[in-house]
Amino acid sequence: MDNFIVLTLIKKISSAKSDQELVQDYKEGGSMDVLGELYNRYMDLVYGVCLKYLKESEDAKDSVINIFEELVSKLKRYEVINFKGWLYQLAKNHCLMKLRSNKGKPVNVEMDVMYLAENNHPDNAEEKEQKFVIMEDCMRQLPQEQKEAIELFYLKEKCYKEIAEETKMEINKVRSFIQNGRRNLKKCMEKYAQEAS
C-alpha cells in the first residue's frame, strides 16, 4: 500500500491548463509530473469506480496504482478527446478484467456504451482498448444532441431529469436522443467490426 500512499501525496501543482492541454504536454514531453497532475484530478473517481466493482478497499487501492501505471504507456498511444470519460472507461475495463481473471468466468455487470457492439467478451486487453478507440470515433460521428445525451447519461451517469435541466431539453427528447444515439453508435461499431473481419 506504500505506492497508493505515495500516489495520494503527489504534489498538487496549481495549473490553469485544461485536461486536453495536459494530455498534449504529456504526449510531447512524457513528464511524470504532468501525468501525476492529470491523474490526481480524477483519482477519487478512479478509486470510486474500482471500489464499486471490486468491493474491497485494498483491491481498489491496488487497482488505482495499476491504472496509473497503464496510463504511462496507453495515454501516449491513443487519441484521447475526453480524458475524464476515457479514464473512467479504462478504470471500469481494468476492474472487469480483474474480476474475470479472478473468477475465470464472465462477470454480470450492467450494459454500457463500451459493450454495445460486443457479442463476445475477449480477454485480450489490446482488443478491448481498440474497441474503445473505435467507440470514441463513432461518438464523434453522432449528431451533437445524441452525442451530448450519451456522454451525460453513460459517462457522467446523469439521469434523464438532470440531463433535461442541463441541456434545456424536454425529458422525452433526452430519452429519444439517448435511444437513437445508442442505436447509431451500435451500428457504427458493428460496421467497423465487419470491415475488420
Side-chain angles (χ1 to χ4, degrees):
M1 290 304 90
D2 290 343
N3 285 340
F4 182 79
I5 293 167
V6 169
L7 195 54
T8 59
L9 295 176
I10 286 176
K11 183 181 174 187
K12 292 189 179 182
I13 305 164
S14 179
S15 172
K17 288 189 174 182
S18 68
D19 290 354
Q20 197 59 40
E21 288 171 320
L22 289 174
V23 167
Q24 197 56 42
D25 287 351
Y26 176 68
K27 287 190 173 200
E28 290 171 0
S31 167
M32 293 302 286
D33 287 341
V34 171
L35 184 61
E37 178 183 1
L38 191 58
Y39 193 57
N40 210 35
R41 291 180 179 184
Y42 302 109
M43 199 164 63
D44 289 345
L45 169 74
V46 173
Y47 178 73
V49 171
C50 293
L51 193 58
K52 175 183 174 183
Y53 286 97
L54 304 178
K55 309 299 183 194
E56 298 292 330
S57 176
E58 294 303 305
D59 287 344
K61 288 177 180 178
D62 285 342
S63 289
V64 168
I65 298 300
N66 294 336
I67 291 162
F68 180 77
E69 291 168 354
E70 285 182 42
L71 276 183
V72 174
S73 61
K74 287 187 176 178
L75 196 53
K76 288 180 179 177
R77 294 203 319 259
Y78 296 101
E79 184 65 30
V80 177
I81 305 302
N82 175 356
F83 178 77
K84 182 180 178 183
W86 183 82
L87 179 61
Y88 173 90
Q89 206 62 51
L90 183 70
K92 191 170 184 177
N93 289 344
H94 174 89
C95 293
L96 294 177
M97 285 189 282
K98 186 176 176 73
L99 288 170
R100 284 193 186 104
S101 66
N102 288 347
K103 295 183 180 178
K105 59 183 179 181
V107 178
N108 184 22
V109 296
E110 72 270 15
M111 177 68 76
D112 65 27
V113 177
M114 184 59 190
Y115 296 102
L116 283 173
E118 290 188 7
N119 295 321
N120 59 355
H121 299 278
D123 291 325
N124 186 317
E126 291 298 322
E127 190 174 341
K128 279 190 175 290
E129 202 64 42
Q130 184 59 34
K131 283 183 184 286
F132 184 68
V133 171
I134 291 169
M135 186 199 73
E136 282 191 322
D137 188 49
C138 287
M139 283 285 286
R140 284 194 289 273
Q141 296 177 39
L142 290 177
Q144 182 58 34
E145 295 91 347
Q146 292 178 13
K147 179 174 180 277
E148 185 178 16
I150 289 279
E151 286 178 345
L152 290 171
F153 187 73
Y154 286 102
L155 300 181
K156 296 189 179 175
E157 299 184 324
K158 291 182 182 280
C159 68
Y160 289 157
K161 184 180 177 186
E162 290 172 323
I163 297 171
E165 288 171 358
E166 187 169 324
T167 61
K168 310 290 189 237
M169 290 189 282
E170 295 176 7
I171 288 183
N172 287 342
K173 289 230 178 213
V174 169
R175 186 179 290 112
S176 175
F177 285 138
I178 290 170
Q179 290 172 350
N180 291 335
R182 198 165 67 180
R183 186 176 62 250
N184 290 336
L185 196 58
K186 182 178 180 182
K187 283 181 185 175
C188 176
M189 293 179 74
E190 285 174 345
K191 182 181 173 187
Y192 269 101
Q194 287 171 357
E195 289 172 356
S197 60

